[in-house]
Amino acid sequence: DIQMTQSPSSLSTSVGDRVTITCRASQSISSYLNWYQQKPGQAPKLLIYAASSLQSGVPSRFSGSGSGTDFTLTISSLQPEDFATYYCQQTYSTTITFGQGTRLEIK
Amino acid sequence: QVQLVQSGAEVKKPGASVKVSCKASGYTFTVYFMHWVRQAPGQGLEWMGRINPNSGGTNYAQKFQGRVTMTRDTSISTAYMELSRLRSDDTAIYYCARENRSAANDYWGQGTLVTVSS
């Protein structure tokens, strides 16, 4: 199976900060990389698909980049509602895998 | 609007089976694959498998092979996930999620808590 490794695992940040989360695949996955946001007690929400495409309705402060094995999710100016856990997901292989998650906490 | 509505919480004993349903509405059920993802308490997301609602074809994560069965009933736009030989570490929230044309899960059910306890 393709392993997805996110970093950092957690991050203490403040409103207005620029935040970057990275996701590394154990082999090339082209651009088959998606990002999700999950808040406590809620289902995950799709933010970015195909590495860099913004899902409809998602604020433009979220952006994604990368291809091959290295990917990033960037939040340009963190808002109070953005404190959540973020997951990357590869859909390149028949067996889909997620990263372990990155938790954004209020500093 | 697209909606995925899952069945209610379940409590099962070790060794039993559970079957979770996911009723889709607001789109043509047979056009989009349906995935199942679970999340143990305080843990991350774990992909279990997916079903092609049109053909009934399935792909399962190797971890669940032999224990999971995904089916669908196109007449009522409902997907099902059955997990057998339950263990305590199967305690989790189980989600169904639609796969869009870009191989991402764009709509998710509300989740079904399955508790396995003697």
Side-chain angles (χ1 to χ4, degrees), chain B residues 42-117:
Chain B
Q43 302 302 307
L45 302 172
E46 183 174 33
W47 184 78
M48 299 181 69
R50 65 181 174 185
I51 183 168
N52 177 342
N54 187 45
S55 66
T58 55
N59 297 115
Y60 301 142
Q62 187 167 8
K63 174 178 179 177
F64 300 102
Q65 288 275 3
R67 279 210 306 144
V68 70
T69 304
M70 296 177 188
T71 57
R72 89 291 188 218
D73 184 338
T74 58
S75 69
I76 55 172
S77 299
T78 300
Y80 302 92
M81 187 284 300
E82 184 170 20
L83 190 62
S84 63
R85 302 194 300 279
L86 289 168
R87 307 184 293 253
S88 58
D89 62 357
D90 291 317
T91 293
I93 297 173
Y94 290 77
Y95 293 102
C96 61
R98 189 185 84 160
E99 176 185 328
N100 68 8
R101 299 185 191 280
S102 299
N105 298 120
D106 59 349
Y107 288 93
W108 294 66
Q110 82 276 19
T112 296
L113 175 62
V114 175
T115 303
V116 183
S117 174

Side-chain angles (χ1 to χ4, degrees), chain A residues 48-96:
Chain A
I48 302 286
Y49 63 92
S52 60
S53 294
L54 191 67
Q55 173 68 357
S56 176
V58 173
S60 59
R61 62 180 180 272
F62 292 92
S63 64
S65 65
S67 66
T69 60
D70 295 310
F71 302 86
T72 60
L73 172 70
T74 300
I75 309 172
S76 60
S77 178
L78 206 62
Q79 298 302 299
E81 61 268 29
D82 300 337
F83 290 95
T85 301
Y86 294 82
Y87 295 93
C88 62
Q89 176 202 44
Q90 67 78 19
T91 55
Y92 177 82
S93 71
T94 303
T95 297
I96 291 169

